[in-house]
Amino acid sequence: MTITRREFSRLAAASAATSFVPHAFGQSAQRIRYAIVGLGRISMQHFMPATKGSATTQVTALVSGHPEKARRVAAVYNIPESSIYSYENIGKLRDNPNVDAVYIALPNSMHAEYSIRSAEAGKHVLCEKPMATSVADAEAMIAACKKASRKLMIAYRMRLEPTTLRVREMIRSGQLGTVQGIESANGFNIRAGEWRLNGKLAGGGPLMDMGVYSLNGCQFLLGEEPTQMFATASVIDHDGRFDEVEENLSWTMKFPSGAVAACNTTYGAGMDGMMTIHGSKGWLRMQPAFSYDGLHLTGRINGKDIDEPVAAKDPSQFVREAEYFAKCITDNTTPEPSGEVGLRDMKLMMELYRLSGRIKA
């Protein structure tokens, strides 16, 4: 697998275009150096360009199963060939003093193995969501990081995003009144042949990939965990794409406060990720709510309209994520979302699959 000239040019342009903008997390005294584990879309097009313009993070190593591709990417980031590793020899990261942490951007079923091996190599772990494909694997990741005294963070980037944080504060401060209900949806029409349709690699369908944003987001905004859930799954398009994973999954969650969330996720249609929160004093809507950029908050509270698009100059969500984890490392603080948050969501997703009939108890 190689990078075409067009892809190489796009990667170089993206890395050069990303600029650092100081924000609320402040500056770390030490630059944290990342090894990227997995050279896919999210790492090459988003996370790595974000670190390129950061004052506190840097990519200094690559782990890939495709040596030629890794060498091309390394050239963009001035990474020496001695800092390019294969999946088989990832343990050699232990001997590289120029790597402090890893960013795991692999198919879901590989998260646990390479998070554990990275921790055993003495590196802190920032792992993409979903945390794993089973509760047991998520627990093993937490145990490995604790044993190695390494930090573990799950990449729920929306928890660091300004619009999401503003909505959370408006709810927590009482501006919206008593929250009665939330509606949330997220999904897209997936192409045949995507690894996400492979049950073994993905661990599940849109719930694991897109629906987890709604699952985690509702809990984050309310500051509560659900006490009751209902779920149903379906396959409508019998075209071979959904032989191993669900096409659609819908669920409701009841929270201790009494608020009820209704959520939908799909791989069969374009769903512009959204969240609408209804309170006794009005409503708030984020649409898009989960995109990498362009979030837009609208609403009406006590008769006053709200219309707040995210400023174009706002730092990339991936800049925030990379720098936040870096600050946790340098300040020796526990990342939020921690591995325990990822584990909680794994348990909830497995329960939703059980309730929907996708897996047996």
Side-chain angles (χ1 to χ4, degrees), residues 15 17 91 116 127 130 135 154 180 183 204 235 251 306-307 317 326 342 355:
S15 66
I116 291 169
C127 179
V135 171
I154 309 305
Q180 304 293 329
E183 290 126 31
V235 172
W251 74 98
I306 297 169
D307 189 350
Q317 295 172 18
L355 291 168

Side-chain angles (χ1 to χ4, degrees), residues 62-91:
L62 303 174
V63 180
S64 173
H66 306 283
E68 181 58 30
K69 181 180 182 180
R71 282 192 287 269
R72 288 178 180 267
V73 176
V76 176
Y77 290 87
N78 298 315
I79 297 169
E81 188 158 356
S82 60
S83 290
I84 299 175
Y85 302 87
S86 67
Y87 296 127
E88 290 74 21
N89 70 4
I90 190 174

Side-chain angles (χ1 to χ4, degrees), residues 17-339:
T18 304
S19 59
F20 171 70
V21 182
H23 49 72
F25 302 133
Q27 299 289 329
S28 299
Q30 173 187 347
R31 184 186 287 268
I32 293 300
R33 299 154 299 182
Y34 283 96
I36 306 300
V37 185
L39 299 179
R41 286 191 295 261
I42 196 166
S43 60
M44 290 174 55
Q45 296 178 19
H46 300 287
F47 189 88
M48 293 176 70
T51 62
K52 182 79 171 182
S54 169
T56 62
T57 65
Q58 181 182 5
V59 174
T60 56
L62 303 174
V63 180
S64 173
H66 306 283
E68 181 58 30
K69 181 180 182 180
R71 282 192 287 269
R72 288 178 180 267
V73 176
V76 176
Y77 290 87
N78 298 315
I79 297 169
E81 188 158 356
S82 60
S83 290
I84 299 175
Y85 302 87
S86 67
Y87 296 127
E88 290 74 21
N89 70 4
I90 190 174
K92 291 185 177 180
L93 281 173
R94 176 180 296 278
D95 302 321
N96 191 335
N98 293 317
V99 174
D100 306 297
V102 300
Y103 172 63
I104 306 290
L106 295 165
N108 305 341
S109 65
M110 300 171 72
H111 287 182
E113 177 182 353
Y114 289 96
S115 292
I116 291 169
R117 292 177 69 180
S118 297
E120 290 173 345
K123 309 305 178 184
H124 301 284
V125 178
L126 171 56
C127 179
E128 266 301 333
K129 56 80 195 158
M131 182 175 181
T133 56
S134 72
V135 171
D137 278 352
E139 291 173 336
M141 291 166 66
I142 293 172
C145 288
K146 286 184 175 178
K147 182 179 180 180
S149 299
R150 300 295 89 183
K151 298 187 184 300
L152 171 62
M153 175 175 159
I154 309 305
Y156 287 117
R157 57 187 165 76
M158 306 315 300
R159 288 179 170 233
L160 304 171
E161 192 281 321
T163 299
T164 306
L165 291 172
R166 171 155 166 72
V167 171
R168 184 173 183 260
E169 176 56 29
M170 293 171 80
I171 292 172
R172 301 291 182 88
S173 67
Q175 285 181 258
L176 190 59
T178 303
V179 174
Q180 304 293 329
I182 300 177
E183 290 126 31
S184 185
N186 198 22
F188 65 97
N189 198 338
I190 196 168
R191 297 177 300 179
E194 288 267 359
W195 68 260
R196 290 173 176 81
L197 296 172
N198 182 308
K200 185 176 181 180
L201 284 177
L207 176 62
M208 300 281 279
D209 182 26
M210 306 299 285
V212 68
Y213 285 101
S214 299
L215 179 71
N216 186 272
C218 290
Q219 296 175 85
F220 180 64
L221 293 179
L222 295 175
E224 300 180 288
E225 298 178 25
T227 56
Q228 190 175 14
M229 300 193 299
F230 301 91
T232 185
S234 71
V235 172
I236 296 173
D237 296 308
H238 296 278
D239 54 14
R241 288 180 296 168
F242 306 108
D243 293 343
E244 298 182 25
V245 301
E246 78 277 6
E247 181 175 15
N248 305 289
L249 198 141
S250 299
W251 74 98
T252 58
M253 299 181 286
K254 181 179 179 181
F255 292 88
S257 62
V260 175
C263 304
N264 286 279
T265 190
T266 185
Y267 271 164
M271 275 185 183
D272 189 12
M274 58 81 68
M275 292 191 79
T276 302
I277 305 98
H278 302 274
S280 57
K281 297 180 181 179
W283 59 274
L284 294 169
R285 178 176 296 125
M286 291 185 288
Q287 191 170 16
F290 312 118
S291 301
Y292 295 148
D293 51 37
L295 270 68
H296 194 170
L297 173 63
T298 57
R300 188 172 178 82
I301 296 179
N302 290 329
K304 183 179 179 180
D305 289 333
I306 297 169
D307 189 350
E308 301 178 2
V310 168
K313 65 179 181 180
D314 197 71
S316 156
Q317 295 172 18
F318 291 89
V319 170
R320 291 177 174 273
E321 184 175 73
E323 292 188 347
Y324 170 74
F325 190 50
K327 188 166 176 59
C328 289
I329 294 170
T330 57
D331 292 354
N332 193 27
T333 56
T334 300
E336 176 59 35
S338 62

